[in-house]
Amino acid sequence: MTTRTAGPIISPSILAADFAALGEEVRAVSEAGADWIHLDVMDGHFVPNITFGPDVVKALRPHSAKVFDVHLMIAPADPYLAAFAEAGADAISVHVEAGPHIHRSLQTIRTLGKRAGIALNPGTPASAIEPLIDMVDLVLVMTVNPGFGGQSFIPSTLETIARIKAMTAGRDIDIEVDGGITPENVGLAAAAGANAFVAGSAVFKGGPAGYAERIAAIRAGAGGTVAC
Ligand code: DX5
Ligand code: ZN
């Protein structure tokens, strides 16, 4: 059920895309070399911003065959997991901080046949997810405080990434970083142990003509070879 890829995985976040043309944006970034498409779902409660729900994920699904990497910044998450699965999510990440029954949420995601991800905020220690390691296919380490694109990478998260890398040694678990990732700093996250890289502003800022070049630059910064 896992879809691990050799080399860095680049997951552009459509939070930084043109919301008036999301279908075209997803198509363009897929053709430009994205490995996954990162979809940020915010509820105005768990995070101080609101984005979109399962209907938008469903509407975007025909525009790309790439892995839909759905990042739920919502609380509660459980009532919506089936809807996101049915909408076409391939991986669904829930926050460890988002509720008292996170183990149940991860069980539900796997029961729905999707890759289960656990996300953690910069203020949360790596140890918070240790009891959940058997339940996850993906760990999403927030490298900014979730809620908005365009923030600066928080360096203390490198230690969290390294701890999670050690914790997941020998297991088929992706370690994904999210927030403030650029071609310049992505190498630090890769060196700490991340293999999947979300990038919003660093991909979308500047428009579609530069998507391929900017994805390639992030891939190269993460230590990957540039292939199209
Ligand atoms: C933040 C989101 C991120 C965000 C990343 O709450 O989870 O996925 O879109 O955007 P950049 O790359 O601009 O920091
Ligand atoms: Zn995200």
Side-chain angles (χ1 to χ4, degrees):
M1 93 181 259
T2 57
T3 53
R4 291 202 74 186
T5 316
I9 294 163
I10 312 301
S11 188
S13 164
I14 63 162
L15 187 61
D18 177 359
F19 271 29
L22 275 183
E24 288 159 43
E25 290 280 61
V26 165
R27 195 174 290 269
V29 87
S30 298
E31 288 170 1
D35 299 293
W36 297 353
I37 305 295
H38 188 80
L39 300 123
D40 285 307
V41 178
M42 305 186 186
D43 67 353
H45 167 71
F46 178 69
V47 289
N49 196 4
I50 301 175
T51 56
F52 49 79
D55 286 349
V56 170
V57 176
K58 187 176 180 182
L60 293 175
R61 189 63 277 187
H63 291 267
S64 175
K66 304 288 182 182
V67 167
F68 270 17
D69 169 32
V70 174
H71 177 191
L72 297 183
M73 287 161 276
I74 65 175
D78 290 7
Y80 305 99
L81 296 175
F84 282 104
E86 284 158 21
D90 298 295
I92 301 176
S93 295
V94 287
H95 269 261
V96 69
E97 306 89 355
H101 301 297
I102 192 70
H103 192 282
R104 176 181 291 146
S105 306
L106 295 166
Q107 271 180 329
T108 302
I109 295 167
R110 282 193 164 171
T111 301
L112 290 164
K114 306 301 177 184
R115 304 188 68 221
I118 186 73
L120 68 166
N121 288 334
T124 301
S127 58
I129 66 159
E130 202 155 13
L132 305 168
I133 284 299
D134 286 338
M135 294 304 301
V136 300
D137 305 295
L138 167 71
V139 179
L140 180 56
V141 181
M142 292 309 301
T143 45
V144 299
N145 290 299
F148 303 95
Q151 302 180 80
S152 296
F153 179 86
I154 297 172
S156 64
T157 60
L158 290 169
E159 181 63 31
T160 305
I161 298 164
R163 287 187 186 185
I164 290 167
K165 177 68 177 170
M167 200 186 285
T168 58
R171 295 172 190 258
D172 192 17
I173 296 175
D174 288 309
I175 301 177
E176 185 174 30
V177 286
D178 183 7
I181 297 296
T182 66
E184 291 72 36
N185 66 22
V186 68
L188 294 172
N195 71 299
F197 306 90
V198 177
S201 314
V203 169
F204 285 96
K205 209 171 166 189
Y211 292 169
E213 190 183 334
R214 291 193 288 274
I215 290 169
I218 296 164
R219 191 183 304 285
T225 50
V226 177
C228 291

